[in-house]
Amino acid sequence: MKRVRIRISGVVQGVGFRFCCRREALALGVRGWVRNRLDGSVEAVAEGAAGAVDRFVDWCRTGPRGARVTGVEAVDEPDAGGFEEFEIVP
């Protein structure tokens, strides 16, 4: 199991990033959450099989059509469990 906290910057709000992020996470079997930040970035916590989490982080480097990702920071965190699915949170 692997868990990462991801911060995505660029043009990532107003382009459906969170909704596409959730869809991608569910397809990969990744659990956690995603939210918009006040500074215009998107933050996510992703947990699951190491390969699936790595693919999810790779997807975040591009995002959905319309997004222009300029930076992705992914920091490993201790695997805490507790997520039942991947949700969009406020």
Side-chain angles (χ1 to χ4, degrees):
M1 293 293 286
K2 181 175 183 175
R3 177 177 172 150
V4 295
R5 182 172 300 267
I6 310 159
R7 185 167 176 193
I8 306 111
S9 54
V11 179
V12 293
Q13 291 190 16
V15 294
F17 199 100
R18 292 174 301 149
F19 299 98
C20 292
C21 188
R22 181 177 187 271
R23 184 178 62 217
E24 187 69 19
L26 293 174
L28 291 169
V30 171
R31 295 173 307 282
W33 54 262
V34 63
R35 68 178 174 188
N36 283 340
R37 293 176 46 98
L38 292 176
D39 65 3
S41 66
V42 169
E43 179 181 27
V45 172
E47 185 174 87
V53 171
D54 290 343
R55 286 190 296 279
F56 179 75
V57 172
D58 286 342
W59 178 88
C60 289
R61 296 184 194 288
T62 304
R65 173 181 279 173
R68 286 191 214 124
V69 177
T70 58
V72 173
E73 298 173 29
V75 178
D76 290 338
E77 293 187 341
D79 178 18
F83 297 123
E84 293 184 21
E85 63 173 287
F86 196 93
E87 351 178 56
I88 298 170
V89 297

